[in-house]
Every structure is written in C-alpha cells, then in structure tokens.
Amino acid sequence: MSDDGYTRITLRIPTPLDEKLNVAARVTSKSKNAEIIQRLEQSFLDDDEASRAKILAPLQMIVPPADYKPLIRLLAAELSDALNERVFLGRSPSKQRDSIEEETPPEAQPPSKNS
C-alpha cells in the first residue's frame, strides 16, 4: 500500500467488460477506476444485505416488519442489562449486588430468597 491509502494492482478483464466499464464511467462522469471501486464496494454491501435478509427471513415469518424497531430496542435493552450484570464499573456481579444493597435502604430492598 502506498502513502495515499491505495494499493496499485494490475487487472486483466475481458474486453466486453472493459467496454461496459468505460460506458458506465462516462455515463456517471467518473473515472474508470472510481467506477470499478464503487461497483466493488456495492457488491460487498449487497453481500451484507443478503446476509442480513437471510438472517431476518425466519424472523419475518414470526414478527411483522413494523414490530422490528420495538423488538430491536427490547433486545438491545436486554443485552445491555445482561452486560451490566456481568460487568458493573469493573466489579464482579457479586460485588455489584453487595454495593447496591449497601446503597439501598432496607425498606426498598427486594425480599431475600431465604425469607
């Protein structure tokens, strides 16, 4: 890779494909290089979208698309809660529980499992 953030490559492509790239570059007022980069980047985005669609397909059978955002918010909140239980300001869950119980007045604490 050079200092400009690009890697130079030599590429052999079929002549008809080269002609299509030349036409597409002219139509979009880009260089052929810019056209190739844009098309390659788009192909990766399309791959990502296809992967997402493949993952979401079973979900779409169960949950209507209008309910995705609330469901995602719920899942994000659950994940956040789970992570906070595992790591709370660098303390283990048992230390977290102890510190919360110390800070919480007895009348506001949930009943213990032993009672």
Side-chain angles (χ1 to χ4, degrees), residues 84-85 88 91-101:
N84 285 333
E85 286 177 18
F88 184 75
R91 294 180 272 189
S92 68
S94 61
K95 288 183 182 176
Q96 172 191 350
R97 229 177 285 107
D98 295 343
S99 69
I100 290 172
E101 288 171 3

Side-chain angles (χ1 to χ4, degrees), residues 69-87:
K69 282 187 181 178
L71 179 61
I72 289 170
R73 279 192 213 106
L74 174 66
L75 292 172
E78 291 290 326
L79 178 60
S80 177
D81 290 348
L83 290 173
N84 285 333
E85 286 177 18
R86 303 282 259 152
V87 181

